[in-house]
Amino acid sequence: MTGTLGKDLLGLESLTGDQIRLILDTAEPFKEISERAIKKVPALRGSTIVNLFFENSTRTRISFEFAEKRLSADTVNVSVSGSSVSKGETLVDTARNLEAMRIDMVVIRHSASGAAQFLAERIQSNVINAGDGTHEHPTQGLLDILTLRDRFGDLNGRRICICGDILHSRVARSNIWGLTKLGAEVAVCGPRSLLPNAIDEFGVRIFDRVEEAIEWAEALNVLRLQFERMTAGYIPSAREYNRVFGITRERLDRAPGDILILHPGPMNRGVEIDSDVADGPHSVILEQVTNGVAIRMAVLYLLAGGKPELAEAAKGGGGRGREDRE
Amino acid sequence: MKPLLLRGGTLLDPSQRLNEVGDVLITDGAISGVGSKLATPDEAEVIDCAGLIVSPGFIDVHCHLREPGREDVETIATGARAAAAGGFTAVCAMPNTDPVTDNQAAVGFIVRQAQRAESSRVYPIGAISVGQEGKALAEFGEMVGAGAVAVSDDGKPVASAQLMRTALEYARTFKIPVIDHCEEPTLSAGGSMNEGIVSAQLGLKGIPAEAEEIMVIRDILLARLTGGHVHLAHMSTKGSVELIRWGKERGIRVTAEVCPHHLSLTEESVRGYNTNAKMNPPLRTAKDVEALREGVKDGTIDLIATDHAPHHYDEKEREFADAPNGIVGLETALAVIVTNLVETGHLTFSDLVDRMACAPARIFGLPGGSLKRGAAADVTVFDPKARWKVDASQFVSKGRNSPYDGMTLVGRAACTIVAGSVVYRSGNPVRGREKSVRTRG
């Protein structure tokens, strides 16, 4: 059975503004569950979920796992080093084997763009994209948006700038789609060698200087700079990147108004973001992490066919919740 | 061999400005008569061609038949039969086989396998460099002696300008074209589709049009420098058309080909990570398609070639970036061109026959390309109005990787004749050449 999101969550490009709002609204009651002493409700009891990670990830995998466990699902983690993939099994064979084990959902992280869609088209289970190559990372986009909405209320007309390596960032793509659909004004800022050549056609504003971005924006989403970008020659050095594009206290001090700082993590302190910014008053970075669990609970719940209006009730759990604690 | 009379078709032969309803008589493997209401010799087989077009046999100067090395994917025999089913009486086989076709023995092997196939003709193309490694020049003279009709490192570009220069100079002795796969390798590295808005949205590394165009202008300038004949394979961009036009206006010996897919599809086909829309060069934009159509119409682009590239089903059934490049094309080329260029008014049927039959024969110095009396009887009979749904599972080729699978197209080969023997009849693929043709009634 599928909810109002359809079978899978592959990206924010294919969602409507209403569907995105539905996920954000559904996440609200789930936030509270994580604040309890007993952080568990029975909404997905009996469901089997595989977390299929073909790429290293710590926080996304843990966040999904907590979300699944707090909804009482049975979970199995498959990481690339311990699976038959390293023995040369193809993704399509992996998919067929999962299908044969009658699992309910797959959370997939893969280094190839399109891998989540590839899997979704070949199995009946729900598929959640936990990051595919440089394509999309929808739950990260959603948790960023939820964090912004917590602070701004409505995102319509709000000015958000995504800073850094847009070219290789699935987080940037999901943010651009999601924010745009909710009516926010979106900009990007970074070295031109790390922006897609066709960025003009995304319908976003472009800043070549981070100072201009800070002057314009009400929130900056600061992307991690992957060190392989230096070795591949996209930019000369981390030192220069920090000098030209780093988010520093000095630069933020010149912001004309309040400005929120987001970072999808993990951070390179002293490269794209300075420690006194990451740990400072503008930062909502840890709120993002907290919201990540709620967003993932909402997505799992909705894809499993949960009724959004029952999310509030689901968190109560009643007698079944107690049963579950045994 | 019994005589063959093709009766009542529209005879279309731009090589002699022929465009009229009439008959073609074939005797002893050669065309012995062209005209209206020819007498039927005793024992001749008569093929009714009413409503069909009778033209010089199509020649595909660019295909990958995978033998030797990947006989599971295609063989010279299956490739030749697929060619026949597509209306091609001859194809040129690219040398990126395993081992590479870079010496006279390897060229001779292809010639022999083609003879054994007894279907459409297969002409080998030899490698430019030993092992296609881009270093030492292969033995052009020995390969031409064994039957090679051109040289190419296709599949890879000739990265070294110096090697390309030498190849163009050295090939002059043997009067063969040097075919280049134009791709600046440092610019295209890691790319899996056209660079643009679609690649940016899908998160796939793009290959800019400039990766092709830089090599196009380099090759044109080297042809000017050397006086050699450069033939540019599978042109895909508007800029390439403009550069070739520039070269031709200056009398430089440059010829060029375009593939049916680059004339009919755009990068939009990749959406959904469709690996059957993955090829190199990649599908480009609508502007490029329009410029290529104009180029093939005004003759800037000389001919149409398929770049037929079969792959095993499993190899395409995977993550987009890891899937191999290429699609099969022999059995859809005619229909794709009729549907996308003739029906849209870009080309006349006469232009189509020129770009698919006459120009390839002329440019590569191959037999055929004409219905003149005395010419080798390589003839394609096709139905310009046949409407059919592409079903890749029914292809004669071993390859199934077609972006046209399921599409309804117009135009289909009805009968393919090589050296006076029928090698294909619609609805009835012929295994080998029909040796004893029986007259009926």
Side-chain angles (χ1 to χ4, degrees):
Chain A
M1 180 181 172
T2 56
T4 44
L5 293 184
K7 182 173 92 68
D8 313 297
L9 178 67
L10 304 179
L12 299 190
E13 180 186 5
S14 56
L15 296 189
T16 63
D18 283 341
Q19 285 174 315
I20 293 170
R21 273 182 220 103
L22 172 72
I23 298 170
L24 300 177
D25 293 345
T26 307
E28 290 297 340
F30 285 129
K31 280 184 188 174
E32 189 260 330
I33 293 168
S34 299
E35 304 301 327
R36 298 183 191 169
I38 296 170
K39 301 175 176 58
K40 203 156 190 164
V41 294
L44 292 188
R45 199 170 48 179
S47 291
T48 321
I49 303 179
V50 175
N51 297 315
L52 189 58
F53 277 65
F54 292 92
E55 235 185 21
N56 283 334
S57 159
T58 306
R59 74 183 60 202
T60 302
R61 192 177 55 74
I62 291 173
S63 180
F64 265 109
E65 205 174 337
F66 275 135
E68 290 153 4
K69 291 200 152 78
R70 286 173 193 180
L71 291 171
S72 306
D74 294 321
T75 67
V76 176
N77 292 321
V78 182
S79 61
V80 71
S81 55
S83 82
S84 49
V85 173
S86 50
K87 297 172 197 158
E89 187 178 84
T90 61
L91 186 55
V92 66
D93 282 333
T94 305
R96 286 180 188 141
N97 279 283
L98 290 173
E99 187 79 66
M101 285 183 248
R102 305 286 183 265
I103 50 149
D104 298 294
M105 290 195 195
V106 181
V107 176
I108 178 174
R109 155 76 56 104
H110 198 288
S111 59
S113 298
Q117 180 174 343
F118 181 93
L119 189 67
E121 286 167 354
R122 284 161 184 79
I123 63 175
Q124 285 169 11
S125 320
N126 307 105
V127 173
I128 299 174
N129 182 6
D132 63 326
T134 56
H135 175 227
E136 284 223 47
H137 189 354
T139 56
Q140 179 71 46
L142 288 164
L143 73 88
D144 292 344
I145 292 167
L146 181 62
T147 307
L148 290 165
R149 198 178 75 159
D150 286 348
R151 293 300 186 109
F152 290 145
D154 188 1
L155 285 174
N156 194 34
R158 293 292 184 164
R159 299 187 302 277
I160 321 294
C161 184
I162 305 163
C163 300
D165 180 3
I166 311 295
L167 184 63
H168 300 98
S169 175
R170 50 195 176 209
V171 177
R173 283 171 183 73
S174 290
N175 264 278
I176 292 170
W177 288 119
L179 289 166
T180 309
K181 284 167 197 275
L182 296 184
E185 281 189 58
V186 182
V188 297
C189 175
R192 287 281 176 162
S193 54
L194 290 175
L195 301 187
N197 201 31
I199 190 71
D200 296 344
E201 296 171 60
F202 271 82
V204 297
R205 199 180 283 259
I206 303 154
F207 293 111
D208 283 316
R209 308 292 309 196
V210 73
E211 293 82 1
E212 296 165 357
I214 289 168
E215 198 178 318
W216 174 84
E218 296 169 273
L220 300 181
N221 198 341
V222 186
L223 302 174
R224 173 180 166 79
L225 185 73
Q226 309 274 354
F227 282 97
E228 59 259 36
R229 304 299 167 232
M230 267 80 79
T231 52
Y234 287 95
I235 53 167
S237 67
R239 194 183 66 86
E240 174 156 301
Y241 187 85
N242 182 256
R243 286 277 284 264
V244 183
F245 292 98
I247 307 302
T248 61
R249 170 58 65 85
E250 295 70 39
R251 287 190 169 124
L252 287 188
D253 283 346
R254 287 197 285 275
D258 282 346
I259 190 161
L260 295 179
I261 302 297
L262 293 86
H263 192 299
M267 290 182 279
N268 296 307
R269 290 168 181 266
V271 183
E272 72 270 5
I273 190 165
D274 279 2
S275 281
D276 51 359
V277 173
D279 305 327
H282 302 287
S283 170
V284 291
I285 293 168
L286 292 175
E287 287 172 42
Q288 289 174 270
V289 178
T290 307
N291 281 338
V293 178
I295 278 289
R296 288 169 181 129
M297 289 172 81
V299 168
L300 291 161
Y301 177 76
L302 290 171
L303 287 182
K307 297 275 184 297
E309 61 273 19
L310 296 181
E312 187 69 35
K315 78 177 187 182
R320 298 176 68 195
R322 184 174 304 163
E323 217 174 281
D324 194 67
R325 277 175 232 142
E326 286 166 1
Chain B
M1 187 185 290
K2 287 172 184 170
L4 199 57
L5 183 70
L6 309 177
R7 181 177 281 163
T10 299
L11 311 183
L12 213 50
D13 178 10
S15 79
Q16 50 179 327
R17 296 178 184 279
L18 182 64
N19 185 356
E20 62 190 37
V21 173
D23 306 336
V24 174
L25 181 66
I26 296 166
T27 317
D28 296 329
I31 291 173
S32 54
V34 178
S36 60
K37 303 211 170 64
L38 295 181
T40 311
D42 291 342
E43 301 219 308
E45 186 198 2
V46 178
I47 297 176
D48 179 12
C49 296
L52 306 177
I53 291 176
V54 177
S55 80
F58 300 157
I59 300 170
D60 182 7
V61 301
H62 192 142
C63 51
H64 299 272
L65 301 186
R66 305 300 188 207
E67 184 180 355
R70 285 303 303 272
E71 291 82 353
D72 59 321
V73 169
E74 193 83 289
T75 64
I76 288 163
T78 59
R81 286 200 285 269
F88 291 95
T89 55
V91 298
C92 298
M94 281 294 176
N96 61 336
T97 46
D98 182 14
V100 171
T101 308
D102 63 359
N103 61 73
Q104 58 173 331
V107 169
F109 170 76
I110 291 168
V111 169
R112 281 194 304 282
Q113 290 297 79
Q115 283 164 351
R116 287 174 59 192
E118 295 193 323
S119 186
S120 291
R121 302 175 197 263
V122 178
Y123 299 111
I125 293 172
I128 292 173
S129 63
V130 175
Q132 290 193 312
E133 286 173 352
K135 292 173 190 150
L137 216 54
E139 294 168 335
F140 293 4
E142 300 277 14
M143 292 193 292
V144 169
V149 298
V151 287
S152 180
D153 273 357
D154 187 71
K156 294 178 190 171
V158 178
S160 158
Q162 174 59 28
L163 179 68
M164 190 65 188
R165 174 196 174 149
T166 312
L168 284 165
E169 289 171 335
Y170 192 66
R172 291 191 62 175
T173 301
F174 311 104
K175 301 201 182 323
I176 51 168
V178 177
I179 307 169
D180 197 18
H181 164 121
C182 293
E183 178 182 349
E184 207 295 308
T186 62
L187 212 44
S188 64
S192 57
M193 70 170 296
N194 182 50
E195 179 174 327
I197 180 67
V198 180
S199 69
Q201 288 176 347
L202 293 178
L204 294 170
K205 188 165 190 315
I207 302 172
E210 285 74 7
E212 173 172 307
E213 293 156 4
I214 285 168
M215 294 304 243
V216 166
I217 193 62
R218 181 201 74 171
D219 287 350
I220 292 171
L221 295 174
L222 290 174
R224 183 174 72 178
L225 175 68
T226 61
H229 172 192
V230 68
H231 178 78
L232 305 176
H234 44 52
M235 290 292 95
S236 74
T237 80
K238 181 171 187 275
S240 293
V241 176
E242 289 164 359
L243 293 168
I244 294 162
R245 198 172 279 136
W246 180 91
K248 287 191 165 181
E249 281 166 7
R250 280 154 187 79
I252 299 167
R253 292 180 69 199
V254 53
T255 56
E257 71 192 33
V258 62
C259 303
H261 45 275
H262 290 124
L263 290 166
S264 58
L265 302 172
T266 69
E267 59 183 356
E268 293 291 331
S269 297
V270 177
R271 287 194 192 277
Y273 302 95
N274 176 12
T275 57
N276 282 333
K278 182 178 178 184
M279 65 283 287
N280 189 13
L283 297 173
R284 305 284 187 182
T285 68
K287 272 187 193 160
D288 296 300
V289 170
E290 198 49 45
L292 290 164
R293 288 177 175 184
E294 281 303 313
V296 77
K297 179 182 181 175
D298 70 19
T300 303
I301 305 276
D302 300 86
L303 60 94
I304 294 166
T306 67
D307 198 5
H308 177 79
H311 289 290
H312 195 274
Y313 173 81
D314 283 348
E315 294 174 307
K316 281 283 194 183
E317 181 75 358
R318 59 182 310 167
E319 301 88 318
F320 190 88
D322 297 338
N325 286 306
I327 59 168
V328 291
L330 286 168
E331 292 166 77
T332 50
L334 170 64
V336 170
I337 298 304
V338 172
T339 308
N340 290 281
L341 283 103
V342 179
E343 299 232 308
T344 55
H346 289 85
L347 292 186
T348 62
F349 277 109
S350 187
D351 293 333
L352 178 148
V353 171
D354 177 69
R355 308 300 187 268
M356 295 183 73
C358 308
R362 192 171 64 238
I363 288 168
F364 281 68
L366 302 174
S370 175
L371 294 179
K372 282 179 187 155
R373 188 190 293 258
D378 286 8
V379 181
T380 298
V381 181
F382 65 97
D383 183 344
K385 296 200 172 81
R387 185 172 284 278
W388 58 291
K389 189 172 177 184
V390 179
D391 178 355
S393 70
Q394 298 299 308
F395 283 162
V396 177
S397 166
K398 287 188 179 185
R400 301 285 176 264
N401 47 311
S402 170
Y404 303 104
D405 191 25
M407 285 190 196
T408 298
L409 301 174
V410 178
R412 197 167 195 182
C415 182
T416 309
I417 299 161
V418 173
S421 296
V422 173
V423 294
Y424 172 78
R425 280 176 210 260
S426 61
N428 179 24
V430 176
R431 299 256 157 191
R433 291 178 190 170
E434 290 180 13
K435 283 181 184 146
S436 56
V437 176
R438 285 195 182 170
T439 44
R440 296 200 177 196

